[in-house]
Amino acid sequence: YCAPHMQYRPGDIEEKWQQKWADARVAETGVTASGNKFYMLNMFPYPSGDLHVGHGRNYILGDALYRYLRMQGRAALNPMGWDAFGLPAENAAIKRGIHPREWTLSNIAREKKQFERWGIIYDWSKEIASCHPGYYRWNQWLFLQLYRRGLAYRGKAPVNWCPQDQTVLANEQVIDGRCERCGAEVVQRDLEQWFFKITDYADRLDAGLDALEHWPDKVKTMQRNWIGRSAGADIDFPIPVLGRSIRIFTTRPDTIFGATFLVLAPEHPDVAKLISDHPDRAAIEKWIAEVRNQSNLERQETGKEGRFTGKYAINPFTKEEIPIWLGNFVLMQYGTGAIMSVPAHDQRDFEFAKQYGLAVRIVIAMNETPPGWPLSMVEAFTAKDDSARIVDSGLITGLTPPAAIERIGDEVERLGIGNKTVRYRLRDWLISRQRYWGTPIPMLYCDRCGLVPVPEEELPVELPVDVPFTGREGNPLAKHEAFVNAKCPKCGGAARRETDTMDTFVDSSWYYARYLSPRDTTRIFDSKLANAWLPVDQYIGGIEHAILHLLYARFICRALHDLGLVDVEEPFTRLFNQGMITKEGYRDPAQGNSWVPLGEVEWRAGKPYRGGLELVPETGKMSKSRFNVVPPDELIARYGADTQRVYTLFIAPPEKEAPWSEEGVVGAYRFLVRVWNMGIQIRDGATSGGAPPAPAAVLRKMHQAIDGVTRRFERFEFNTAISSLMEFSNLLGDHLEHAGGLREAYLVLLKLLHPFAPHMTEEMWEMFGEKPFVLTSKWPVADPALMQEDVVTIVVQVNGKLRGQIEVPNPPAEDVVMAAVQKNEKVQSWVAGKTVVKTIYVPGKLVNVVVR
RNA sequence: GCGAAAGUGGCGGAAUUGGCAGACGCGCUGGACUUAGGAUCCAGUGGCCCAAAGCCGUGCGGGUUCGAGUCCCGCCUUUCGCACCA
């Protein structure tokens, strides 16, 4: 029984502590002193305005880590900002008539408040918002530097175009081939756009992945696949009718003697000439047009199709005439848009050859293959190592494939008919957006001088505020006369301003460096500070950025490095991807599987119904359209932010997807209540005198908890860290008759619990008469000697059967163990003349002596 | 199709190295206190069995080992990624 004022009431204490932390600016880090530095960073959010409990996970996780690091005495930096440009703001403007700026700023205010309400402390003195001219000005500056170096250029490319909205769409805005907003079918269009030349960095971005020891393999693999490095050779195949050659790319030049035909992409520039005198020219052209209209996906669904051009090429090594085909499976965007086909050793070529009855010639055999070659094509198919040999291939016969690849490459270069090359799947980064709410690209079009960059001293090119948002006629910027009309800085004549804005991924590709000198008006960032604090030691964010943001950021970091602005090439040393929090929603099959609002679900015998029909539960991402969003307000009002924090981290390993459960929350709350009530008793026990010392079991558990929680922080195992604190607290609860003697152990519990439940621990810490801000007190250190049990049980097993056991002091020396065996009558008699197979010493556990 | 990861109670999940499977929490069962309990506290909770003893238990089938959730081989299932990249 507790007096009312002693009850755990999160509502009474949480806002008080949040205010104190804010007033004392506890999270502000002096960036000038970077010794013992630890730069941790959560990916900055897009301020959409609705943070639900699922969003809380990675911020809570980051805050717990930050508080732990501070208690460890690290100079930890933990800033936060806003990825504030983007489409949703503009859509809100169109739908609701709110200016994107107002919409964004009010969302930022709301989300900032929400972070505070979760007890998350950031260094707000370093806050940045990408929509602020003081920030995007440096986007423009960066653009100009890249432009100067040829890394930003204007060129033609196929893009997603919505004919109704008259604008280019981001990939995320295309759903099942349709415009997300108006539902019109999106078409591919060749348009002049601005690009960043990320392909220049393909090799460095690929090679750099190997050094990222602390990145999840999954992300590295995804980036590797995306970059798609392939080493091989470009080789010219002479075409007598054209009087010149067609260049192909292959990763397997060692198979060139097996190349029995060429296949060109239907879009290949030489196709028109090749079929110009073909008797069925019209039919082939019709087919080409059909294929061109198909997306890659559609082409694959069609299956492999081709047409014979009626013309032949010369295989430069066999000197044979080989037919030239067109194939829907050859992509113009990759390599040279032409391939040599080796049907014996490539699955796709094999399928094509089989379908059209083309020649198959085997040129690889397995090493161990007995006489009587050839072996089956399947076995030799992918053989690229020393277990295989090249056969029937002139100068390379008998070589292993790797050796043959080298040899052919050399030969091709010697003959001047090609080169060894490395090709990448990666394409240049299209950064143009025909949108208002983004960084204006600082370029001008002058009738006399052509493309002219805006001089650096004229930056920022500010976004005008007074533009109309109709959502119908493309980029509002283009209609803003005062913005568009400018003077050419070269000739002083009339010029038009570029009205495209930048992809918002440009904003996020260097923001981590800006946090270090966020208000600097003279440069993009302070290189001295950047070199002291970069790279980011721990980066936390969702897996959805595995490629886009993380690849762009790695690219821009290298570009900044090459500009001499920063020493590092890799911006993020450690990467952690938290899993999503999911929630059950209910679909109504009778209504075309539409989602049912939670309020309309009736429960009968534990099953969900609506209107007498059973609903289908489905667990997934929280979203408004599924009516399964859990807002944090009610939860916090009822149980407190500490409860949400503890529950969120306890629910599952943080990298895993985890289902939100209303019942589960209660467990976390009860845990905090118990710790609280126990604290009151222990404090009162201490002041009433007569404090017996804590039992050895409590001290042992305490050291085990310190050790366990510390180790688990290092490994991001927050769920088990919390469970070990529950064990520790349960044991304290079992010894409350010693209340007064538990003070030291209890204060340790508060410290270990602080990163998870900061408000409650601060309050209790203060109730114990300690100075405020557990944050600045020292993280306890475990004494390994005190972690061990006093005695261990030696279990003697014979052939897996228990034959006896005995307790000995811990740790037992090996001769003690042997003596224990000797003392055991049963074993002794049985053991005579036999040998001890193995002894295992497990600290604090059992010792099994197994004899045979 | 290719590649990767993972399969443990009613549920979320524990189990440094091959060493007491199911920690911790939810839920459930019983009890206490109650006008009441959706509050709190206590006890129990993998299965078979009234209970005990015992036996069986980490997707399935083999194997290695004194000993396997963990290692090896072969399947099945799920999730994620890539998807004609020559």
Side-chain angles (χ1 to χ4, degrees), chain A residues 148-411:
Chain A
R148 205 153 291 155
R149 300 200 160 215
L151 290 171
Y153 68 93
R154 197 165 160 79
K156 226 172 193 184
V159 293
N160 300 312
W161 175 262
C162 175
Q164 186 160 343
D165 286 355
Q166 297 283 298
T167 184
V168 165
L169 297 174
N171 283 337
E172 303 79 49
Q173 270 195 297
V174 182
I175 297 165
D176 295 332
R178 288 175 177 277
C179 172
E180 170 213 45
R181 196 143 34 96
C182 67
E185 209 159 319
V186 168
V187 294
Q188 293 272 301
R189 255 205 187 181
D190 285 336
L191 288 176
E192 274 224 346
Q193 302 284 308
W194 284 101
F195 290 88
F196 280 173
K197 210 168 179 187
I198 191 171
T199 50
D200 269 13
Y201 285 76
D203 53 343
R204 283 163 72 185
L205 289 168
D206 184 72
L209 290 169
D210 295 333
L212 294 174
E213 277 177 72
H214 303 290
W215 277 39
D217 289 335
K218 188 182 172 177
V219 174
K220 286 190 278 187
T221 305
M222 284 168 74
Q223 290 216 358
R224 232 172 242 126
N225 291 341
W226 189 262
I227 296 167
R229 180 184 198 276
S230 292
D234 283 357
I235 303 173
D236 292 333
F237 278 61
I239 316 291
V241 288
L242 293 181
R244 56 186 175 83
S245 296
I246 286 180
R247 175 159 281 209
I248 61 98
F249 170 68
T250 179
T251 57
R252 297 297 300 269
D254 54 324
T255 62
I256 194 162
F257 285 84
T260 49
F261 55 99
L262 290 191
V263 189
L264 310 186
E267 300 90 339
H268 195 282
D270 288 333
V271 169
K273 264 188 199 153
L274 287 172
I275 62 167
S276 59
D277 57 351
H278 195 285
D280 284 331
R281 186 178 142 189
I284 294 181
E285 279 174 348
K286 186 169 169 260
W287 174 78
I288 291 172
E290 273 168 31
V291 174
R292 288 183 82 137
N293 276 331
Q294 287 179 322
S295 65
N296 273 0
L297 197 74
E298 285 168 329
R299 289 192 195 188
Q300 245 183 97
E301 280 165 2
T302 311
K304 287 189 179 49
E305 273 187 3
R307 294 291 186 273
F308 180 40
T309 60
K311 300 295 187 301
Y312 292 83
I314 306 293
N315 180 322
F317 282 82
T318 65
K319 309 295 185 197
E320 287 170 334
E321 280 200 334
I322 58 173
I324 304 171
W325 282 69
L326 309 180
N328 65 346
F329 68 102
V330 177
L331 307 172
M332 194 60 222
Q333 311 93 287
Y334 186 75
T336 61
I339 61 166
M340 68 174 201
S341 237
V342 186
H345 304 294
D346 184 284
Q347 184 67 40
R348 297 155 301 191
D349 295 348
F350 180 71
E351 283 169 26
F352 194 78
K354 209 166 69 177
Q355 192 169 332
Y356 293 105
L358 299 164
V360 177
R361 181 178 301 159
I362 291 166
V363 291
I364 302 177
M366 302 302 285
N367 201 14
E368 319 83 46
T369 308
W373 288 343
L375 80 172
S376 86
M377 170 222 141
V378 182
E379 281 172 79
F381 175 54
T382 51
K384 201 182 172 179
D385 53 27
D386 293 346
S387 67
R389 288 287 181 279
I390 304 294
V391 297
D392 297 336
S393 295
L395 75 163
I396 53 169
T397 300
L399 298 181
T400 61
I405 288 171
E406 273 305 299
R407 185 79 178 78
I408 292 291
D410 292 342
E411 191 64 12

Side-chain angles (χ1 to χ4, degrees), chain A residues 623-674:
Chain A
S623 77
K624 277 186 196 166
S625 57
R626 295 187 194 196
F627 300 102
N628 65 347
V629 171
V630 181
D633 314 19
E634 198 191 324
L635 180 89
I636 290 176
R638 191 158 169 198
Y639 297 109
D642 282 343
T643 292
Q644 191 191 333
R645 292 172 62 112
V646 169
Y647 175 69
T648 298
L649 295 179
F650 178 65
I651 182 171
E655 69 279 7
K656 268 195 70 169
E657 200 172 81
W660 186 266
S661 123
E662 315 294 335
E663 295 93 8
V665 173
V666 179
Y669 180 67
R670 285 206 275 253
F671 166 57
L672 294 178
V673 169
R674 272 198 299 274

Side-chain angles (χ1 to χ4, degrees), chain A residues 601-842:
Chain A
V601 178
E602 306 150 29
W603 290 91
R604 284 190 221 160
K607 288 185 172 175
Y609 283 83
R610 181 169 73 171
L613 283 163
E614 188 172 341
L615 302 174
V616 183
E618 191 178 292
T619 299
K621 186 178 180 163
M622 289 185 193
S623 77
K624 277 186 196 166
S625 57
R626 295 187 194 196
F627 300 102
N628 65 347
V629 171
V630 181
D633 314 19
E634 198 191 324
L635 180 89
I636 290 176
R638 191 158 169 198
Y639 297 109
D642 282 343
T643 292
Q644 191 191 333
R645 292 172 62 112
V646 169
Y647 175 69
T648 298
L649 295 179
F650 178 65
I651 182 171
E655 69 279 7
K656 268 195 70 169
E657 200 172 81
W660 186 266
S661 123
E662 315 294 335
E663 295 93 8
V665 173
V666 179
Y669 180 67
R670 285 206 275 253
F671 166 57
L672 294 178
V673 169
R674 272 198 299 274
V675 173
W676 175 274
N677 291 340
M678 185 186 300
I680 305 281
Q681 281 197 53
I682 290 170
R683 185 194 62 167
D684 294 349
T687 50
S688 65
V698 169
L699 288 179
R700 197 181 305 132
K701 198 77 178 175
M702 181 179 91
H703 285 277
Q704 285 170 356
I706 296 169
D707 180 61
V709 175
T710 308
R711 239 186 14 232
R712 282 155 173 158
F713 256 111
E714 302 297 330
R715 283 150 49 173
F716 275 53
E717 293 170 355
F718 304 108
N719 56 329
T720 48
I722 290 170
S723 75
S724 74
L725 288 175
M726 286 173 170
E727 283 183 63
F728 180 27
S729 124
N730 287 347
L731 191 81
L732 281 179
D734 291 342
H735 291 88
L736 281 179
E737 70 276 8
H738 296 279
L742 299 178
R743 184 190 158 97
E744 186 210 350
Y746 184 78
L747 290 178
V748 166
L749 172 64
L750 287 184
K751 281 188 189 177
L752 298 180
L753 188 54
H754 178 76
F756 306 112
H759 312 85
M760 187 273 260
T761 46
E762 286 276 23
E763 181 74 12
M764 189 53 77
W765 191 250
E766 194 179 60
M767 285 173 70
F768 267 79
E770 300 285 338
K771 275 196 226 154
F773 306 131
V774 178
L775 189 64
T776 57
S777 72
K778 238 185 161 155
W779 189 258
V781 178
D783 182 345
L786 294 174
M787 281 166 55
Q788 292 182 1
E789 308 290 328
D790 299 333
V791 292
V792 291
T793 309
I794 292 178
V795 176
V796 182
Q797 288 178 350
V798 180
N799 290 342
K801 288 261 180 187
L802 181 75
R803 283 294 161 87
Q805 57 185 54
I806 187 169
E807 290 196 339
V808 299
N810 187 28
E814 180 144 356
D815 55 333
V816 176
V817 175
M818 295 312 295
V821 175
Q822 299 298 310
K823 272 182 237 160
N824 186 296
E825 289 298 316
K826 278 181 186 165
V827 173
Q828 200 176 14
S829 56
W830 204 88
V831 127
K834 309 273 177 176
T835 34
V836 173
V837 173
K838 208 172 177 184
T839 63
I840 298 162
Y841 165 53
V842 185

Side-chain angles (χ1 to χ4, degrees), chain A residues 457-486:
Chain A
E457 56 278 12
E458 284 178 27
L459 298 183
V461 176
E462 281 202 53
L463 261 185
V465 177
D466 52 335
V467 297
F469 298 102
T470 58
R472 284 291 147 208
E473 297 118 79
N475 189 348
L477 268 188
K479 284 176 304 213
H480 195 282
E481 293 292 320
F483 178 81
V484 174
N485 296 323

